[in-house]
Every structure is written in C-alpha cells, then in structure tokens.
Amino acid sequence: MLSLWRKRMQRYLHRVVNLPQTVRKWLRWKYDLVVLTFQVTFYNEFMNGSYMLEVFMEPMVWVVDHFTKALGPILVGGVIVLTSTVVFIVYWVGLPYYWNKSKLLTSFLIVLGHWLLINVVFHFFMAAYTDPGTPPQGILISEAVSVCKKCIAPKPPRTHHCSVCNRCVLKMDHHCPWLNNCVGHYNHRYFFKYMVYMTAGTIFIMSLGFEIAYQEIWIGGESGPGLSEAFDYVMEEEEEVLEGYPARVNGTHMIPVYGGTTGSPVPFEPSAEETEKERIHYWYRFSIMYCGMLTTGVFFSLGGLASWHSRLISRGETSIEAHINKKETERLAKINQIYQNPYDFGAKENWRIFLGMVNGRGLLHVLFPSTHLASGNGLTWPNSVLSKATHDKAA
C-alpha cells in the first residue's frame, strides 16, 4: 500500500515538473493546427512574403489609384489651359514685336511656330485618346508568358497590368496622369513625339522671347522703367533733391504757384485712360514673366523625360522593362552570366521599329502628323537573341 502511494506521488510530481513543457507543446500543436487550417482554406500557389505585403498594401494602393484616376481629367484640362495661355501670349506679345522688327523673319517664324504647334496639339490628342492596346478576349494567345493575377487571363510578352485603368496593357510603359491614359503599344510613339515637339516649342519661345523680356523687363520700354533702373535707384546712397515751384494742395488736386499766380490744377488720381494704359502694361509684363517661367519649367521637366525615354528606345525597352532588365543583369552577373535584352536589335533598328518607319514610310511620317499604326500587333514580338542564334547557326 505504501509503495503504491509512493508511485502515485512520483507520477504527480513528474507531471507538475513537466507542466511547462506540456503546455508549450499543446500551444505549438494548436498554432500548427490554425496555420494548417488557414493554408488549406486560403491556399495560393503564389503565397510568399511579397504577396502578403501586396495584400496588406492593397487599401493604400486602391486610394492612390482612384485618386489618380479622378485627377486625370483635371490634369488634362490643366495642360490644355496652360498651353493655350502660352500660345495666346505668343500671339499678343511676340508676333507684333517681331512683325514690327522684320516682316520677312516673322513670316518664317510663323510657319515654323505653327508647324510645332500643330505637332504638339496632334500628338497630345492622339496620346490621350488612342487606346494603348489590351490582350483580346476569347482567342488563343500563342505566346503567353504568364497569367495576370488581377485579370486572371494570359499575358503576352511585354504586357503588364495597370492598376489605375484596371486592365492589362500591351507593351506598357507607364500610366500618365497628364494624359489620363496608359502609355502602351499603340500610343507610345504619340507620347514620345509630344514630349519632343513640346520641348522644341519651349526652346522656340524661350530663344525668341529672351530679347523681348530683356527689353521690356530689364531695360524698360513703353510699359515703364525696367529692373535695371530700379536697381540703380535702390543703390543710390543719397536721395535726389527735389527742385521746382511751390504748390498748394486741396486734397484732390495739386495747384502749382508761379510768382503769386496759380497754374492749372493737377489731379492726384490718374485719369481713366491712364489707368487703363497702366493696367494693360501691367498684364503685358506679367504675361512675359509668366510665359518665361512656365516654358522654362516645361523645358527642363519634359526635356529630361524625353531624353530618358530616348535612351530607353535606343536600348529597345520600356520604363518597366528597364527595371526588370536591371534586376536580371544583376542576378546573372552573380553567376558570371551576361543578360541580353531579347527586344534590342541595335539603336538604329530600335528607332526604326518604334517610329513605324516600315512598309515604305520615311522621314515625312516623323516630321508631320501621321496616324499610322505601330509595328506589329503587340501580342508577339521578334526575339533578337533567337534571331542572332539562328543567323549564327545558318552561317
């Protein structure tokens, strides 16, 4: 009896001593059970850390995308209004100035300026309202490289999903809020040429407007004294001694006195004609400064963007592909391999394909507005790596 009681006590003491470990094992088992239940219920082949982060960021991305979509029409209207004001100022200020200076030169400038203006308006309209292209539904896509997780549909090469437009876009470069449209296969050329012609237009205005700004703002003209005279006045150490005749003041007029006789009263307030003239001169100078600052800002912003896209086009890649190719280059470099962009056929051929200079099209289709379609259908793309390998094998 005593030995039986002793065994029971040993068993109880052993349970008490091992209680923390037993509880830990029970909690671990429950945790594994919950994880297993979650994975079975919500199983996803693509589940990883980046996918989970994307899911948690989805509400913020939703807000940004919808804000961008709502802001798009406002930005498009802003571009139209700002461009229209600059064109108006050129007609109001620049055209009369150069017409009085040289009618022959002005005639040439009118032709050149309107060529730039027509190209800017045409390519902006086409870039904003041309559908960039999307994979067709209900047909077999022979070269699908993946399946879009958003559309649950096959994606051709160079196709990416735009979260703002909520669709896949062929050869997507980016979503441009200033166009309220995606830049893709069918409107990429219009977008690039708009930037080029707009940058050329700002150079045209700044180079011709510098003389006007120098004369009206710095030197001074009919609108009044310039900044140079104002600086000279500020830098003067002594005030100028006023000399003249005595005068009487009655609150609204100043009456000069000449040897006991009074002259014609001079009103303090300018006449309506002088007020209107001053108002016109004020807006004249304001327009010059406004046009100068706006065109300078557009020149640096669009000029830099056009320069960057020129390098991308020369390498046969889009903005998205530039990041992908950079990562692939770094990844393969770690294993002593060289990455080759399959869509790079050399700078000259890349530009020819991009501008659509095929089937007899030449430089006139680049210098003047043209609605010719982009090369290819955006679903299949020639591969420079395979072409080179085939050529080498044949040789």
Side-chain angles (χ1 to χ4, degrees), residues 89-383:
I89 292 171
V90 170
Y91 278 111
W92 179 39
V93 178
L95 184 58
Y97 179 87
Y98 280 96
W99 184 260
N100 295 329
K101 186 177 180 180
S102 173
K103 292 181 174 58
L104 180 61
L105 173 63
T106 306
S107 300
F108 169 75
L109 294 178
I110 289 175
V111 175
L112 179 60
H114 283 84
W115 170 69
L116 292 172
L117 178 61
I118 291 172
N119 273 290
V120 167
V121 174
F122 172 80
H123 288 102
F124 177 79
F125 177 83
M126 294 299 293
Y129 291 98
T130 299
D131 193 308
T134 187
Q137 302 292 328
I139 67 171
L140 178 63
I141 298 178
S142 58
E143 293 188 10
V145 295
S146 63
V147 176
C148 178
K149 294 183 292 184
K150 302 291 185 179
C151 299
I152 315 298
K155 288 199 304 184
R158 314 186 79 175
T159 298
H160 300 277
H161 186 87
C162 175
S163 56
V164 179
C165 297
N166 194 29
R167 61 173 180 169
C168 286
V169 176
L170 300 176
K171 192 198 168 190
M172 179 178 177
D173 187 90
H174 69 288
H175 182 90
C176 181
W178 298 97
L179 298 175
N180 193 32
N181 195 10
C182 272
V183 176
H185 177 58
Y186 290 110
N187 67 342
H188 194 181
R189 184 182 76 251
Y190 297 130
F191 167 74
F192 176 76
K193 292 179 69 176
Y194 164 71
M195 292 191 298
V196 171
Y197 282 113
M198 178 63 85
T199 303
T202 58
I203 296 174
F204 175 80
I205 294 174
M206 289 190 298
S207 59
L208 296 174
F210 178 80
E211 180 180 340
I212 301 176
Y214 178 77
Q215 292 291 338
E216 292 293 332
I217 306 300
W218 181 254
I219 301 300
E222 296 182 359
S223 302
L227 291 177
S228 59
E229 184 175 342
F231 284 138
D232 293 339
Y233 177 79
V234 172
M235 296 302 294
E236 288 181 357
E237 297 182 357
E238 298 181 358
E239 294 184 359
E240 183 181 358
V241 179
L242 299 177
E243 296 181 357
Y245 295 96
R248 297 176 182 176
V249 179
N250 64 359
T252 59
H253 290 72
M254 180 178 66
I255 306 174
V257 179
Y258 308 99
T261 62
T262 59
S264 301
V266 179
F268 287 145
E269 295 293 332
S271 62
E273 182 179 354
E274 292 177 347
T275 303
E276 180 65 16
K277 188 177 181 180
E278 289 181 0
R279 187 183 67 84
I280 295 176
H281 289 166
Y282 166 79
W283 285 109
Y284 190 83
R285 286 191 171 185
F286 174 82
S287 299
I288 295 174
M289 292 187 291
Y290 164 82
C291 187
M293 290 187 292
L294 183 59
T295 52
T296 302
V298 172
F299 168 75
F300 283 106
S301 57
L302 273 187
L305 188 61
S307 176
W308 182 56
H309 275 269
S310 298
R311 293 195 296 270
L312 295 179
I313 295 169
S314 299
R315 296 197 297 260
E317 59 187 10
T318 62
S319 301
I320 297 176
E321 292 170 350
H323 297 286
I324 297 175
N325 294 343
K326 182 180 179 181
K327 290 183 179 179
E328 285 298 303
T329 302
E330 295 173 351
R331 183 182 67 85
L332 293 179
K334 295 179 181 178
I335 56 177
N336 297 323
Q337 293 186 7
I338 300 176
Y339 174 76
Q340 294 182 347
N341 179 15
Y343 310 114
D344 184 8
F345 291 88
K348 183 178 180 180
E349 183 65 14
N350 291 338
W351 277 102
R352 190 183 71 86
I353 295 173
F354 176 79
L355 295 175
M357 298 176 67
V358 295
N359 300 326
R361 300 190 192 102
L363 195 60
L364 291 178
H365 291 81
V366 178
L367 297 178
F368 295 95
S370 175
T371 58
H372 65 273
L373 297 177
S375 302
N377 57 10
L379 300 177
T380 59
W381 297 90
N383 192 304

Side-chain angles (χ1 to χ4, degrees), residues 34-46:
V34 171
V35 172
L36 179 61
T37 304
F38 178 82
Q39 290 178 344
V40 170
T41 307
F42 303 100
Y43 174 75
N44 192 324
E45 180 68 24
F46 303 99

